[in-house]
């Protein structure tokens, strides 16, 4: 009888894109997209990330900041790539494209990507970090306790985040992305539980995973509650600045928690991971077989799952 370990971390991760999956294993990543004609396109490249080779990327509580930036950049790049298969041929070259090409030449795409990531970060900070603070400040007249105000701000931050996730999950296109998100998780869970990567096995796997980006973002919200309860200043301007300056610290702590959750399964980690796993019920949906096929292609392009199973889940009587 084959005796399997309960679970073994593979180290691979990914994200859903438009009608496809991106999977990453160390510096190698693949994007598999179901094209309009039904065929699966698989693109494999290397991505070394921000500060490649720097010792900073190995320091706990610091590395998470760069990992977060890398995930944003790579995520935007692969999402843009997948969307290119569904663009209207006549609408591909826009006025913005012409201006960027004229100003930056061959670097236009990278510059535009950088601007997009920067705008995304600014909007995220404004909506999820600053807006809850300004809303909670209206209650200062009624709540004198600063720790209680910080707790209220944190609760508002979590509510806004959950409401945002819930709202976009109702969109038809986003729902399909969430189905691919489910396929990504199911493939990784299938491998990490010692099963061969087949459509039938993947269908049986869980669509929830402790290393998910959704869980990371929720940890960011939860960690920010604790940080702002214990670190407080009097000046309103200083409070706003503090909420921006401490974002890297919060991201660094959250990354270490999600990293621990992905490699440990004790009761404390399961409790910490529970809220993120619950939220994944919104951000992942059960995929169909065609989506699972795309996810398998993406995994196989960057990860030798057969060798992994042989090494980590050996036959024992």
């Amino acid at each position: 009888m084959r005796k399997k370990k309960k679970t073994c971390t593979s180290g691979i991760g990914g994200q859903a894109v438009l009608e496809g999956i991106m999977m990453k294993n160390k510096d190698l990543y693949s994007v598999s997209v179901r094209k309009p004609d039904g065929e699966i396109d698989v693109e494999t490249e290397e991505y070394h990330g921000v500060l490649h080779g720097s010792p900073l990327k190995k320091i706990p509580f610091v590395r998470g900041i760069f990992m977060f930036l890398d995930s944003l950049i790579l995520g935007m790049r692969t999402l843009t790539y997948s969307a290119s298969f569904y663009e209207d041929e006549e609408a591909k070259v826009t006025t913005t494209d012409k201006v960027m090409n004229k100003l930056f030449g061959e670097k236009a795409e990278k510059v535009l990507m950088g601007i997009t990531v920067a705008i995304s970060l600014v909007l995220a900070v404004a909506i999820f970090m600053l807006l809850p603070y300004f809303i909670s400040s209206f209650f200062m007249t009624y709540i004198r306790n600063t720790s209680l105000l910080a707790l209220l701000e944190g609760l508002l931050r979590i509510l806004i985040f959950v409401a945002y996730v819930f709202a976009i999950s109702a969109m038809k296109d986003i729902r399909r992305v969430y189905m691919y998100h489910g396929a990504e998780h199911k493939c990784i869970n299938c491998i990490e539980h010692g099963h061969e990567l087949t459509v039938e096995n993947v269908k049986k796997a869980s669509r929830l995973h402790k290393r998910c980006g959704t869980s990371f973002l929720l940890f960011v919200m939860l960690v920010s509650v604790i940080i702002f309860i214990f670190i407080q200043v009097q000046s309103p301007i200083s409070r706003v600045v503090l909420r921006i300056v401490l974002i890297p610290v919060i991201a660094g702590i959250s990354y270490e928690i999600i990293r621990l959750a992905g490699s440990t399964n004790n009761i404390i980690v399961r409790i910490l991971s529970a809220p993120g796993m619950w939220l994944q019920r919104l951000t992942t949906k059960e995929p169909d077989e065609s989506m699972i096929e795309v996810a398998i292609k993406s995994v196989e392009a960057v990860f030798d799952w057969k060798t992994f199973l042989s090494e980590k889940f050996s036959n024992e009587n």
Side-chain angles (χ1 to χ4, degrees):
M1 183 184 226
R2 190 177 186 183
K3 185 179 180 181
K4 293 187 177 72
K5 297 177 183 179
K6 189 174 183 181
T7 183
C8 186
T9 302
S10 64
I12 61 172
Q15 73 166 53
V17 295
L18 185 63
E19 294 300 325
I21 300 283
M22 180 275 287
M23 283 287 184
K24 188 172 185 292
N25 180 27
K26 297 178 181 178
D27 290 334
L28 191 65
Y29 76 92
S30 65
V31 190
S32 297
V33 180
R34 178 77 69 177
K35 298 192 294 184
D37 62 8
E39 292 185 5
I40 301 175
D41 179 88
V42 182
E43 184 79 10
T44 305
E45 288 187 21
E46 287 189 353
Y47 176 75
H48 297 294
V50 177
L51 298 182
H52 174 63
S54 170
L56 290 174
K57 298 190 79 170
K58 296 181 180 179
I59 301 174
F61 301 103
V62 174
R63 58 191 173 189
I65 302 167
F66 303 107
M67 295 296 182
F68 178 60
L69 286 174
D70 284 340
S71 67
L72 279 177
I73 295 168
L74 184 57
M76 196 67 68
R77 177 186 296 181
T78 54
L79 188 61
T80 302
Y81 174 77
S82 67
S84 68
F85 289 96
Y86 290 85
E87 289 177 343
D88 185 346
E89 292 293 330
E90 295 180 358
K92 278 188 177 179
V93 181
T94 64
T95 303
T96 302
D97 292 331
K98 292 178 181 178
V99 172
M100 294 298 291
N101 287 330
K102 187 175 181 180
L103 290 174
F104 301 103
E106 293 180 356
K107 295 183 179 180
E109 186 177 347
K110 289 185 178 180
V111 173
L112 187 59
M113 190 72 66
I115 293 171
T116 304
V117 170
I119 292 173
S120 300
L121 282 171
V122 170
L123 288 174
V125 170
I127 295 170
F128 300 116
M129 298 303 291
L130 300 183
L131 180 60
Y133 165 70
F134 287 118
I135 294 175
S136 65
S137 66
F138 289 115
F139 295 89
M140 286 182 179
T141 306
Y142 310 101
I143 303 174
R144 299 293 183 179
N145 187 297
T146 53
S147 294
L148 197 57
L149 267 175
L151 181 60
L152 174 62
E153 178 192 341
L155 290 174
L156 286 169
R157 182 171 294 117
I158 293 170
L159 284 173
I160 290 171
F161 176 62
V162 173
Y164 167 79
V165 169
F166 182 79
I168 65 172
S169 67
M171 300 169 62
K172 184 179 178 181
D173 290 342
I174 296 298
R175 183 176 178 82
R176 285 192 62 81
V177 172
Y178 283 175
M179 290 171 74
Y180 276 104
H181 190 192
E184 173 221 330
H185 283 189
K186 288 168 84 73
C187 276
I188 295 174
N189 276 323
C190 178
I191 295 168
E192 293 184 341
H193 284 79
H195 302 295
E196 294 184 356
L197 196 62
T198 64
V199 173
E200 287 304 315
N201 286 342
V202 172
K203 284 169 69 175
K204 297 172 187 175
S206 172
R207 73 175 199 266
L208 311 179
H209 199 285
K210 288 188 291 185
R211 294 201 312 272
C212 176
T214 303
S215 294
F216 170 77
L217 291 175
L218 188 58
F219 276 132
V220 168
M221 306 298 160
L222 294 171
V223 169
S224 71
V225 175
I226 299 170
I227 292 287
F228 295 135
I229 284 176
F230 289 99
I231 303 178
Q232 298 182 9
V233 291
Q234 296 301 315
S235 167
I237 295 176
S238 298
R239 290 192 197 113
V240 172
V241 172
L242 192 69
R243 276 147 183 78
I244 297 173
V245 171
L246 288 180
I247 288 174
V249 176
I250 295 168
I253 295 171
S254 301
Y255 175 78
E256 297 304 321
I257 296 173
I258 201 78
R259 184 183 173 91
L260 177 66
S263 59
T264 311
N265 197 39
N266 61 48
I267 184 64
I268 295 174
V269 169
R270 289 202 298 271
I271 291 171
L272 287 173
S273 300
M277 300 289 273
W278 294 336
L279 192 59
Q280 285 179 48
R281 295 186 181 278
L282 285 178
T283 62
T284 63
K285 303 294 180 185
E286 286 295 331
D288 59 32
E289 290 189 2
S290 67
M291 295 174 175
I292 292 173
E293 289 171 358
V294 173
I296 290 174
K297 289 282 188 183
S298 195
V299 172
E300 291 181 332
V302 297
F303 187 73
D304 185 355
W305 60 267
K306 292 180 181 179
T307 299
F308 174 78
L309 293 185
S310 177
E311 292 177 351
K312 303 297 182 181
F313 299 89
S314 58
N315 293 325
E316 294 180 8
N317 292 324

